[in-house]
Amino acid sequence: MEISPVQEDVKEKLAEELSKIKMGEVQDLTSPAKVEVKKESLCHGTREGDASDLMHVIQVSTKISGVERSLKKEVNEISKKLDASSGASVVDIDLNIKDPQLCSLYAPRIYNNIRVKELDQRPSVDYMEKLQRDISPSMRGILIDWLVEVSEEYTLVPDTLYLTVNLIDRFLSQTYIEKQRLQLLGVTCMLIASKYEEIIPPRVEGFCFITDNTYTRGEVLKMESQVLNFLYFQLSVPTTKTFLRRFIHAAQASCKVPCVELEFLANYLAELTLVEYSFLKFLPSLIAASAVFLARWTLNQSDHPWNSTLEHYSRYTASELRTTVLALENLQLNTNGCCLNAIRDKYRQQKFKSVATLTSGQRVSSLF
């Protein structure tokens, strides 16, 4: 099913104007039979009030006729725009209301809400320069690269990894920490994220063991209390993974045949940004949209990777994605020679269709 955004606007405007007209008719007009009675009584000599009522009816009728003519003219103008934009169509990805997990009835409202929430609960984009003196972006990258291995060891869901990184960055944005306690913060945030996202989260002792018992159970629990109280228990935050599901769904709806490589590749590109401190300056929704853009381009250079459906659901135009897509392509090609390979090794596995080995023959900069 394909719908046009312009057609929706026309329908809404027509419904609104017609409802106004009907309200005016109910409030200001009498029935035709009553108007005839007033005419007869006026001919036989009526009271002054009846004559004024009739004049009011005539004035209102004239006003409504003018509104109808104006509305008809506006509809004709919009119809011309419809004809001109008939090529631009949007696929309705919320049409399937049979799958309860898609929340198709509420999905637009849900994503409208989280687009606001992603602005409210962002970590600072320059906390390393302004607050942290004992740790560096490279130390943060090493920690997250190790946490990727931990999440694979315990087979945690991707949402747990994304939430872990979000909690780390939000805590470091306002609290100074020594480098000796950075790993303690990492495992504690993963413990909290596991309790929030996992059906059966790993035990505290498991996270102590994974650090070669560098930290005790008491130290982990004390840090857990510190992190939760500092963040006021606000764990419901939209991450890149939250938006990625929606945008991949929109991308697959635009394809004739769903492509599993597209989903794996977009997830791979999005996870690459987790270890990069410089990507904190980009919104999660922007990173998700850019990952889908670059994944589609990597798999197929014959068509433009962005279309009206993706633009509608992501609310980003291709030009708005330019900076993020180019930065993401540099990560994909590893132009800076980064030695943190946990995510690359993960997506080289056959269960992910070895998407980490895929690259496009042509640079994406040619599209902009």
Side-chain angles (χ1 to χ4, degrees), residues 109-240:
R109 296 180 185 177
I110 291 172
Y111 280 90
N112 285 340
N113 182 55
I114 62 177
R115 285 298 289 267
V116 176
K117 296 295 288 184
E118 73 170 337
L119 297 172
D120 294 340
Q121 299 177 346
R122 291 186 67 189
S124 172
V125 300
D126 56 357
Y127 65 79
M128 286 290 183
E129 296 80 7
K130 291 186 175 181
L131 179 62
Q132 303 300 333
R133 300 182 301 275
D134 204 31
I135 61 175
S136 63
S138 62
M139 292 181 184
R140 173 190 176 275
I142 293 171
L143 172 66
I144 295 174
D145 188 72
W146 175 72
L147 289 173
V148 172
E149 296 179 351
V150 174
S151 67
E152 285 292 286
E153 178 71 21
Y154 289 123
T155 61
L156 304 179
V157 297
D159 301 79
T160 301
L161 178 62
Y162 280 94
L163 181 57
T164 299
V165 176
N166 177 272
L167 296 176
I168 292 172
D169 287 324
R170 285 165 60 198
F171 185 83
L172 292 177
S173 293
Q174 300 185 44
T175 304
Y176 172 79
I177 195 170
E178 300 84 5
K179 60 183 177 182
Q180 293 83 3
R181 302 177 70 239
L182 184 60
Q183 189 181 27
L184 173 61
L185 174 65
V187 295
T188 301
C189 289
M190 182 159 277
L191 171 65
I192 296 171
S194 298
K195 290 180 178 179
Y196 186 84
E197 297 286 358
E198 302 290 334
I199 297 175
I200 304 178
R203 295 172 59 85
V204 179
E205 291 77 8
F207 285 108
C208 294
F209 173 78
I210 207 72
T211 64
D212 290 332
N213 293 312
T214 304
Y215 308 103
T216 64
R217 184 177 187 274
E219 288 177 311
V220 174
L221 293 178
K222 183 178 179 181
M223 177 61 79
E224 179 187 27
S225 176
Q226 184 180 352
V227 171
L228 287 173
N229 282 288
F230 178 79
L231 298 177
Y232 298 100
F233 288 80
Q234 294 181 358
L235 305 181
S236 299
V237 293
T239 64
T240 299

Side-chain angles (χ1 to χ4, degrees), residues 64 68 81 91 110 133 142 159 255 315 347 350 354:
I64 291 177
E68 288 176 341
K81 293 180 181 180
V91 179
I110 291 172
R133 300 182 301 275
I142 293 171
D159 301 79
C255 301
R315 301 183 188 175
Y347 282 92
Q350 188 57 41
S354 305

Side-chain angles (χ1 to χ4, degrees), residues 283-302:
L283 287 171
S285 59
L286 185 60
I287 294 175
S290 300
V292 173
F293 186 105
L294 186 56
R296 284 171 61 89
W297 174 250
T298 302
L299 295 172
N300 182 15
Q301 290 93 51
S302 61

Side-chain angles (χ1 to χ4, degrees), residues 241-357:
K241 183 64 178 178
T242 309
F243 295 100
L244 202 55
R245 286 192 178 91
R246 179 76 164 171
F247 299 163
I248 289 175
H249 188 192
Q252 297 284 28
S254 305
C255 301
K256 295 181 179 179
V257 179
C259 178
V260 66
E261 285 85 358
L262 173 62
E263 181 175 352
F264 290 147
L265 184 54
N267 279 286
Y268 164 62
L269 294 171
E271 284 188 30
L272 284 177
T273 66
L274 292 176
V275 299
E276 292 294 326
Y277 170 73
S278 60
F279 272 79
L280 286 178
K281 62 186 176 184
F282 301 119
L283 287 171
S285 59
L286 185 60
I287 294 175
S290 300
V292 173
F293 186 105
L294 186 56
R296 284 171 61 89
W297 174 250
T298 302
L299 295 172
N300 182 15
Q301 290 93 51
S302 61
D303 295 326
H304 196 283
W306 214 239
N307 54 40
S308 57
T309 300
L310 284 165
E311 183 175 327
H312 174 78
Y313 288 103
S314 70
R315 301 183 188 175
Y316 291 112
T317 62
S319 59
E320 291 172 329
L321 299 177
R322 181 181 184 277
T323 303
T324 315
V325 169
L326 294 178
L328 193 55
E329 186 185 42
N330 288 333
L331 277 185
Q332 182 188 25
L333 300 176
N334 198 17
T335 56
N336 61 352
C338 179
C339 60
L340 304 176
N341 293 318
I343 296 172
R344 300 181 192 278
D345 292 340
K346 171 183 174 180
Y347 282 92
R348 285 193 186 103
Q349 299 177 66
Q350 188 57 41
K351 67 178 181 179
F352 295 115
K353 302 294 182 181
S354 305
V355 293
T357 62

